[in-house]
């Protein structure tokens, strides 16, 4: 599979160079390209100041590669005035949501992640991520990230996504 | 001196005709039937969703001004379907009275293809599913008399609208099931969370007349069937995460699930289908799927680097098209010289000869931001 | 809580596993503590036990889409349903409480309920006729 690695990598670089002039489109393209490749992600979806992870976690919580975001699809609230587990000012957290599990590389434990959306304002526009581990089609809505989960909020306008640890999953 | 200037002016006007005054108020219109290589790019405006657009483009044109025909607004991840028997496009939209907030109104907007203007609307229950756009959130049945709109609150149901009389008729519960796949007569199917299909037959009042369910036929956990099917001749070809195809005949009012077959065969490299709108068909019955290599858990929406073309009836691969850039969505025009159109990861549209696979052009400058979904014009 | 502890635990059940399964498979829509969301998602806390006052209601609980089409195997689904009833709605359960058996759940879940909202109200009204506390809940009669 060496030839494919090479192809994808050069393809991704080409995309990066082509899109650098194009604001959010470039970022979107890079996010999508990152999805296509099993190579290290391009320096996208990072806020200007990188933030520190809480105790027991490692990595950059404003990077799509951060462990909690294994099935996130949308804008990271941590780049929008909120955090991994809080909504930006003036938004509303959807109580109805979908729930998945991600493995924390620090302790190799699987944690239960609640991807509550923050709602009531238009798209945050910063730190767009798409990862789909454990995501399933729309007929399994309880594990589908294609859905705008701004349900049960006064406005269904989607703003950004949190990734809240709500528990520890069972050892398989 | 004055005379000389006048002479010079007269001479000049003899060479360059003076611009005549033009009438104001001219507004262009489009033909009732659009050429086969016209396409609709759904720019869902992921970064400001209330300003989505359905942009009409001529995929044959290398001329930036000539290729852009106009657009229709599509608010908050609209879902649309084209009629074949009327010059109309139906679009399910969501509005809020104060932009990002305020009272929510869902409508089915009726657009005239000749003017690209709205000619009617039907107010819907404010329940339509807000999800990444698919072909199966909105479909037409009953010889294009009834429109079906998928709802998710998270309770699941389908709104039924008479698009001829332009009135809302009914809301049909489809518990545990999603989307709406058009069938023969006044029937539709939905895919259910246990791996079965629910089928609802409607009466002429749009209410549910009967319903039935198939046995679960695919493995939701180990090799889930995607909800994104390629349709040809009333048969929906559903790919699975691992590259198997379930053909489901939807021509009658009871779906007939065929034997699954593999798209991958003994091909090595871990190829799998993936993308947003990853499946398409042409009028000859060829099926097109976006494919990526080294597939893994979570890669089912990765952009495709190739399009694999299959003969649905023979269940065999016809060709492989290497894409000039990876793509997330595809469509194929429905004529004898079909074009394959693909939204690449640069958010441009690549145009290929679907038969030879040759890359013809890239449509890059049409004011687009996130043209997530493509459709060929009918 | 006192009532729940007074009830006989279901033999062989793993409460911890049931709680985790609730979080992963139900909590997204039914919310923590199974409180539901008015008008959108039914409340189970302080309520689900009412359904066991009729055979049809008992069957309904397994035939609703979230339960019937869940990805859990029959045994874990049974364990989860019994745990849920005892943990969040012990007070509403009939006496004696007969836990769901795996065979019962396995037999019921393929028969997905076709119109949960309508069926739910019909079943509840029927049960409320013999159960004043439910009638008050449903505002069929005023609670004095």
């Amino acid at each position: 599979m060496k030839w494919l690695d090479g192809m994808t990598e050069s393809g991704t670089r080409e995309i990066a160079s082509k899109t650098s002039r194009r604001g959010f489109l470039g970022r979107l393209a890079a996010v999508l390209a990152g999805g296509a490749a099993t190579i290290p992600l391009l320096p996208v979806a990072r806020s200007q100041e990188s933030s520190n992870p809480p105790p027991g976690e490692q990595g950059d919580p404003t990077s799509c590669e951060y462990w909690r975001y294994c099935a996130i699809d949308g804008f990271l609230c941590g780049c929008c005035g909120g955090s991994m587990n809080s909504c930006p000012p003036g938004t509303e957290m959807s109580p109805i949501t979908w729930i998945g599990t991600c493995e924390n590389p620090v302790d190799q434990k699987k944690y239960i992640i609640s991807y509550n959306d923050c709602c009531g304002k238009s798209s945050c526009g910063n730190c767009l991520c798409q990862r789909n581990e454990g995501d399933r089609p729309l007929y399994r809505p309880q594990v589908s990230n294609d859905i705008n989960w701004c349900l049960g909020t006064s406005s269904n306008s989607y703003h950004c996504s949190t990734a809240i640890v709500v528990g520890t999953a069972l050892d398989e | 001196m004055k005379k000389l200037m006048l002479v010079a002016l007269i001479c000049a006007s003899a060479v360059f005709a003076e611009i005549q005054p033009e009438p104001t108020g001219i507004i262009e219109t489009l033909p009732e039937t659009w050429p086969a290589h016209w396409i609709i790019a759904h720019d869902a405006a992921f970064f400001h969703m209330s300003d989505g657009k359905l942009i009409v483009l001529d995929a044959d044109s290398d001329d930036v001004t000539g290729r852009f025909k106009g657009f229709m607004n599509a608010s908050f991840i609209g879902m649309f379907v084209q009629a074949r028997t009327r010059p109309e496009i139906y679009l399910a939209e969501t509005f809020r009275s104060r932009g990002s907030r305020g009272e929510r109104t869902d409508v089915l907007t009726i657009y005239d293809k000749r003017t690209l203007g709205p000619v009617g609307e039907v107010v819907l229950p404010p329940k339509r599913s807000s999800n990444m756009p698919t072909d199966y959130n909105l479909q037409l049945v009953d010889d294009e008399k009834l429109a079906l709109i998928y709802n998710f609150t998270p309770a699941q149901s389908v709104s039924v609208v008479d698009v001829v009389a332009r009135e809302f008729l009914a809301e049909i519960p489809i518990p545990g099931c999603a989307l709406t796949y058009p069938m023969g007569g006044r029937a539709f199917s939905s895919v259910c969370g246990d791996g079965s299909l629910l089928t609802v037959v409607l009466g002429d009042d749009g209410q549910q007349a009967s319903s039935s369910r198939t046995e679960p036929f695919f493995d939701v956990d180990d090799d889930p069937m995607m909800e994104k099917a390629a349709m040809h001749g009333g048969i929906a070809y559903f790919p699975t995460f691992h590259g198997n195809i379930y053909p489901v005949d939807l021509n009658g009012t009871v779906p007939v699930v065929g034997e699954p077959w593999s798209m991958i065969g003994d091909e090595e490299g871990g190829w799998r289908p993936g993308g947003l709108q990853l499946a398409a068909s042409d009028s000859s019955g060829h099926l097109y799927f976006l494919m990526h290599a080294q597939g893994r858990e979570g890669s089912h929406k990765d952009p495709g680097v190739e399009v694999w073309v299959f003969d649905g009836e023979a269940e065999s691969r016809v060709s492989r098209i290497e894409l000039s850039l990876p793509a997330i969505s595809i469509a194929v025009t429905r004529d004898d010289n079909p074009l394959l159109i693909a939204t690449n990861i640069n958010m441009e549209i690549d145009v290929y000869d679907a038969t030879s696979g040759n890359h013809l052009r890239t449509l890059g400058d049409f004011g687009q931001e996130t043209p997530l979904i493509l459709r060929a014009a009918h | 809580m006192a009532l729940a502890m007074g009830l006989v635990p279901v033999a062989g059940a793993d409460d911890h596993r049931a709680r985790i399964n609730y979080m992963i498979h139900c909590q997204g829509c039914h919310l923590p503590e199974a409180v539901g969301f008015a008008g959108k998602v039914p409340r189970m806390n302080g309520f689900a036990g009412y359904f066991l006052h009729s055979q049809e209601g008992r069957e309904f609980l397994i035939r609703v889409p979230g339960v019937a089409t869940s990805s859990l195997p029959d045994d874990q689904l049974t364990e989860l349903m019994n745990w849920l009833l005892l943990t969040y709605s012990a007070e509403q359960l009939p006496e004696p409480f007969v836990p769901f058996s795996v065979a019962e759940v396995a037999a019921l879940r393929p028969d997905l309920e076709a119109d949960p909202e309508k069926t739910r109200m019909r079943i509840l009204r029927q049960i409320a006729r013999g159960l004043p506390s439910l009638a008050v809940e449903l505002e069929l009669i005023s609670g004095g």
Side-chain angles (χ1 to χ4, degrees), chain C residues 37-61:
Chain C
F37 192 92
K40 285 186 182 286
V41 182
R43 167 167 65 95
M44 300 189 289
N45 194 320
F47 198 89
Y50 285 129
F51 285 95
L52 269 66
H53 289 261
S54 87
Q55 181 58 28
E56 202 188 357
R58 182 182 175 96
E59 293 177 4
F60 176 80
L61 277 193

Side-chain angles (χ1 to χ4, degrees), chain A residues 95-101 112 114 116 139-140 142-143 149 151-153 166-170, chain C residues 14 16-18 20-21 23-25 27-29 31-32 37 40-41 66 69-72 76:
Chain A
I96 300 171
T97 184
W98 79 278
I99 285 179
T101 56
I112 306 170
S114 184
N116 299 66
Y139 56 75
R140 270 276 165 89
Q142 63 272 43
V143 281
W149 281 98
L151 302 167
T153 43
V166 294
T168 314
L170 299 164
Chain C
D14 179 340
H16 178 64
R17 181 169 69 178
I20 299 305
N21 278 333
M23 292 175 89
I24 293 176
H25 298 274
Q27 180 173 312
C29 288
L31 305 200
F37 192 92
K40 285 186 182 286
V41 182
T69 69
S70 138
S71 60
L72 286 171
Q76 289 189 43

Side-chain angles (χ1 to χ4, degrees), chain B residues 39 43 90 171 250 275 356:
Chain B
I39 62 171
D43 189 338
Y90 307 102
E171 184 185 344
L250 299 173
S356 69

Side-chain angles (χ1 to χ4, degrees), chain A residues 94-167:
Chain A
S94 173
I96 300 171
T97 184
W98 79 278
I99 285 179
T101 56
C102 297
E103 189 180 302
N104 179 6
V106 173
D107 58 10
Q108 275 108 51
K109 279 188 180 158
K110 275 195 164 184
Y111 287 88
I112 306 170
I113 312 289
S114 184
Y115 292 101
N116 299 66
D117 285 343
C118 302
C119 314
K121 293 177 191 282
S122 61
S123 301
C124 153
N126 206 12
C127 297
L128 177 62
C129 295
Q130 189 185 23
R131 288 175 63 192
N132 300 302
E133 292 152 42
D135 164 74
R136 290 295 178 264
L138 292 168
Y139 56 75
R140 270 276 165 89
Q142 63 272 43
V143 281
S144 180
N145 71 13
D146 272 353
I147 295 169
N148 167 13
W149 281 98
C150 288
L151 302 167
T153 43
S154 59
S155 161
N156 73 336
S157 188
Y158 166 77
H159 184 64
C160 65
S161 302
T162 62
I164 306 170
V165 171
V166 294

Side-chain angles (χ1 to χ4, degrees), chain A residues 15 19 35 134 139 145 155-156, chain B residues 96 100 225 301-302 345-346:
Chain A
I15 296 149
T19 55
Y139 56 75
N145 71 13
S155 161
N156 73 336
Chain B
R96 288 170 298 262
S100 60
M225 191 175 89
K301 292 180 202 160
D302 280 8
I345 54 174
N346 222 3

Side-chain angles (χ1 to χ4, degrees), chain B residues 253-275:
Chain B
T253 50
V254 175
V256 181
V257 180
E259 280 298 310
W261 49 274
S262 172
M263 301 161 74
I264 315 298
D266 46 17
E267 192 76 50
E268 287 181 14
W271 287 92
R272 289 189 187 184

Side-chain angles (χ1 to χ4, degrees), chain B residues 55-304:
Chain B
I55 306 171
V56 184
L57 300 166
D58 178 357
D60 276 340
S61 176
D62 286 310
D63 167 20
V64 174
T65 56
R67 83 169 48 131
F68 195 117
K69 300 300 173 189
F71 71 71
M72 294 154 275
N73 279 116
S75 182
F76 206 64
I77 316 276
M79 306 287 176
F80 76 104
V81 65
Q82 303 169 76
R84 291 157 207 256
T85 53
R86 285 182 294 275
E88 288 180 347
I89 288 171
Y90 307 102
L91 169 66
E93 301 182 90
T94 294
F95 296 93
R96 288 170 298 262
S97 60
R98 297 288 181 275
S100 60
R101 57 201 162 82
E103 195 191 340
R104 171 179 173 177
T105 309
D106 286 8
V107 294
L108 186 73
T109 308
I110 300 163
Y111 271 98
D112 188 317
K113 289 174 73 176
R114 295 164 295 195
T115 63
L116 298 187
V119 291
E121 71 171 31
V122 177
V123 175
L124 303 169
K127 294 180 172 183
R128 78 176 186 93
S129 180
S130 170
N131 54 262
M132 291 301 276
T134 78
D135 288 351
Y136 302 103
N137 277 74
L138 167 59
Q139 281 288 337
L140 298 171
V141 294
D142 193 18
D143 295 327
E144 304 194 329
K145 182 170 178 271
L146 301 180
L148 309 171
I149 300 107
Y150 172 57
N151 298 324
F152 180 77
T153 67
Q156 295 153 305
S157 65
V158 166
S159 289
V160 182
V161 168
D162 181 332
V163 288
V164 177
R166 297 182 181 174
E167 61 179 359
F168 174 79
L169 295 182
E171 184 185 344
I172 313 293
I174 53 165
C177 310
L179 301 172
T180 166
Y181 300 83
M183 299 186 66
R186 274 192 299 265
F188 70 91
S189 280
S190 300
V191 186
C192 307
D194 64 349
S196 68
L197 291 174
L198 168 72
T199 300
V200 174
V201 180
L202 304 171
D204 56 9
D205 55 357
Q207 303 287 336
Q208 177 169 320
S210 65
S211 75
S212 62
R213 287 206 326 142
T214 68
E215 290 291 314
F217 64 92
F218 66 92
D219 189 326
V220 181
D221 297 304
D222 291 334
D223 186 17
M225 191 175 89
M226 296 191 187
E227 72 276 60
K228 300 152 183 176
M231 285 272 246
H232 179 74
I235 298 173
Y237 295 88
F238 290 96
T240 67
F241 279 29
H242 292 280
N244 295 304
I245 296 283
Y246 280 96
V248 179
D249 190 333
L250 299 173
N251 282 296
T253 50
V254 175
V256 181
V257 180
E259 280 298 310
W261 49 274
S262 172
M263 301 161 74
I264 315 298
D266 46 17
E267 192 76 50
E268 287 181 14
W271 287 92
R272 289 189 187 184
L276 177 62
Q277 184 190 38
L278 57 95
S281 65
D282 66 22
S283 49
S284 77
H286 286 169
L287 313 173
Y288 299 73
F289 296 97
L290 272 171
M291 305 292 290
H292 61 274
Q294 295 169 301
R296 60 186 198 288
E297 169 58 40
S299 75
H300 54 284
K301 292 180 202 160
D302 280 8

